[in-house]
Amino acid sequence: MSSPLLAHADLLRSGRATFTGWVSVASAVNAEILAREDFDSITLDMQHGLHDQQSVIDGIAYAALAGKATIVRIQVGDFSFASRALDYGAMGIIAPMINSVEDAKKFAAYTKFPPLGERSFGPVRAATMCGMTGGEYLKIANRATVAIAMIETQQAIDALDDILAVDGIDGVFVGPSDLSISLFNGAKVDQAAPEVFKALKHVVARAKAHGKFATAFCLSGASAAEHAALGYSMMTTFNDINMLQLGARAELQLARAGAVGKQGGNAY
Ligand code: 3PY
Ligand code: MG
């Protein structure tokens, strides 16, 4: 039985704008809640988010039950966990701070089976989640799972073409916070700076020139729409903590304002 999860990688390659529900809280339920919304995928963040191994295992399964593919952002340099997350059924890995062609090659080695890489075989959970035998999974895994390298420093921008040229790197993910800190040499974090926008345009142009896709962390839905217009393939609308805050603030504001008779946003 084929799984809808298998279509996700080619959806990213198609260049259509997609939106990923970014889960920072170590909660499989949060992953499931966002998976049941109109997001195209779910991303679990182990770098700055609160996830641990168990919440990643559970979050991938809960999102899959809601029909959505999961991407896992690993911690800096934690490539062995990239292999594990793929074995747990993740359909993509985002690796932070890929600053050189050496970083990119190492990342690809852990996420792709031969001949592209050296991923060790043992998709005990991933194959069943995809409705396949291990042998069947081996045949599709290099294409159906994506290795996404984070571009978030001046060094990475300088090495961008070499990173994109690595077989096994499917696409790139721009981290605007670290990128701005790097571009301003630590003086400030400014995701909306014109210098960051210029870099965003450069990254998507170079990715397309290499036949690869560009994705990015966005801090709002409006920003995600702007990135889509630039040709980006996957955007966040910030994260679950932020969305919880925004929803809570909006409803509390109505309540505190005594908004009697106003249409509320909730259907229960
Ligand atoms: C960045 O903006 O640096 C990120 O890594 C986004 O999570
Ligand atoms: Mg970052």
Side-chain angles (χ1 to χ4, degrees), residues 47-48 73 96-97 150 152 175 177-178:
Q47 186 194 11
H48 299 301
R73 177 163 76 170
M97 293 286 173
M150 283 198 75
E152 49 184 348
S177 299
D178 279 311

Side-chain angles (χ1 to χ4, degrees), residues 19 36 39 61 63 141-142 194:
F19 303 98
R36 293 193 189 283
F39 287 107
N142 280 355

